[in-house]
Amino acid sequence: MKLHYFYDPLCGWCYGASPLLQAAAALPGVSVEMHAGGMIDEEEGRVITADWRAYVMPHDKRIAQMSGQPFGDAYYDGLLNDIGAPLASNPPIAAVLAADTLGILPLAMLARIQRAHYQEGRRIAEFSVLSELATELGADAASFQTAWQSARDEAETHIDDTRRQMGRLGLRGFPSVVLEQDGKLERLELSGWLGKPAQLAAALAERLPKAESVDDALFCTPDSCR
């Protein structure tokens, strides 16, 4: 079973859904393929303003209530008051792509970026922050810088491809998940699972092929195997 996860690092509902994706990815036989959508393009030059703070605050509180995900004081009282701080999806998307080339699970890198933004109130559009997060997860700083710079161009192609796929699949926004199994695609709506990662994992596990039962136990002793 494969889950196609359509996300953006600056999507609050994606942060709310993070435990669901991590629970699904932990299941044997389940893989997660990530598709970043570039919700806030770097070329727009968007920054945090008082209007942005007023816009996201009620949404963030609803996300926290429904998902149980924590939003830190450093985010509410720090970052959202950091007028002029850059808002851009492209740099953290490139960081997720770069982490993958260095052997860091993309979902783990995304979760760390989300935590840095929504709990620690850090500027995730800045390379210095992204580099610190990657090194926390085991990347060599110089290797990450090289990989990130290479991923900057790749991110543009990746985002374009994601948007084409979303259009073809009829997906309207983030987060969106499409389940692929036995050659079939099926939309998996996450809204009803928010705050229930264990229940989602159990539901997905029920859809995985069951191991064939055997009448006699198979085991080895010091003398023989059967």
Side-chain angles (χ1 to χ4, degrees):
M1 180 188 296
K2 178 185 291 185
L3 298 183
H4 294 273
Y5 179 38
F6 297 83
Y7 78 96
D8 189 88
L10 288 172
C11 163
W13 286 111
C14 293
Y15 172 59
S18 178
L20 302 179
L21 274 298
Q22 294 182 64
L27 290 171
V30 174
S31 63
V32 176
E33 185 170 328
M34 297 171 61
H35 309 273
M39 189 172 68
I40 301 180
D41 194 292
E42 190 174 18
E43 292 185 358
E44 296 177 17
R46 299 273 294 277
V47 297
I48 290 178
T49 63
D51 287 343
W52 174 262
R53 185 178 193 275
Y55 170 72
V56 300
M57 283 281 284
H59 294 292
D60 292 338
K61 291 185 181 297
R62 184 167 177 238
I63 293 166
Q65 181 181 23
M66 292 186 65
S67 70
Q69 283 282 76
F71 288 72
D73 291 340
Y75 170 72
Y76 280 138
D77 301 327
L79 183 63
L80 290 184
N81 284 317
D82 187 5
I83 305 301
L87 288 169
S89 301
N90 313 59
I93 288 172
V96 173
L97 296 173
D100 189 24
T101 67
L102 298 176
I104 298 171
L105 292 175
L107 199 58
M109 186 65 190
L110 174 62
R112 185 65 189 93
I113 289 170
Q114 291 169 322
R115 193 163 72 251
H117 181 74
Y118 290 107
Q119 294 185 36
E120 300 165 6
R122 300 168 73 178
R123 294 184 172 196
I124 62 168
E126 296 183 349
F127 171 75
S128 59
V129 172
L130 296 169
S131 180
E132 288 179 16
L133 302 179
T135 55
E136 283 182 26
L137 296 179
D140 172 75
S143 297
F144 178 76
Q145 181 173 9
T146 300
W148 183 79
Q149 289 173 337
S150 176
R152 293 285 274 156
D153 291 333
E154 180 188 349
E156 301 306 315
T157 303
H158 177 92
I159 290 169
D160 288 343
D161 181 64
T162 293
R163 291 175 178 173
R164 282 193 295 270
Q165 290 192 59
M166 292 181 71
R168 187 170 65 250
L169 294 168
L171 304 177
R172 295 181 296 174
F174 314 105
S176 290
V177 172
V178 174
L179 186 154
E180 180 181 351
Q181 190 174 27
D182 299 327
K184 298 179 181 180
L185 298 176
E186 176 186 346
R187 173 78 184 274
L188 175 62
E189 178 55 59
L190 296 180
S191 301
W193 297 104
L194 287 171
K196 304 172 183 177
Q199 292 92 323
L200 174 62
L204 291 175
E206 284 296 313
R207 301 187 60 158
L208 293 172
K210 303 296 188 295
E212 293 184 7
S213 61
V214 293
D215 294 332
D216 297 316
L218 303 176
F219 60 88
C220 286
T221 70
D223 300 319
S224 65
C225 290
R226 56 169 293 183

